[in-house]
Amino acid sequence: CEKGGQWGKALVLLADMALARVHLDAISYIAAISACEHGSSWQNSLALFSIMSGQFPEPSGIPLGSVINACRTGSAWVLACNLFH
């Protein structure tokens, strides 16, 4: 999903995993965030990052960089800048 920017499929897969009660780890969220980044879906990458941050208090810089890049690509500069604070 990530390489093809198929963020919709990534979100469906993540939701299906949650419904099946599969443990969603940080890598699951990072993969979905990255797919959203490559698919220029900054709103979804930001939402996933928010959920991930609530579950994993110290997320790595990888998802943050992906969200910032997705916001930049989507011309959401203000949001991208606010993520630094």
Side-chain angles (χ1 to χ4, degrees), residues 14 17 23-33:
L14 200 66
M17 289 171 65
H23 174 70
L24 298 176
D25 58 7
I27 293 174
S28 303
Y29 283 100
I30 290 169
I33 288 169

Side-chain angles (χ1 to χ4, degrees), residues 32-74:
I33 288 169
S34 186
C36 290
E37 172 196 4
H38 293 289
S40 300
S41 180
W42 64 268
Q43 298 95 334
N44 287 312
S45 66
L46 189 59
L48 287 172
F49 183 75
S50 177
I51 293 167
M52 181 183 174
S53 295
Q55 294 183 9
F56 305 98
E58 299 280 336
S60 71
I62 294 169
L64 179 58
S66 292
V67 172
I68 290 170
N69 192 46
C71 289
R72 180 192 58 81
T73 302

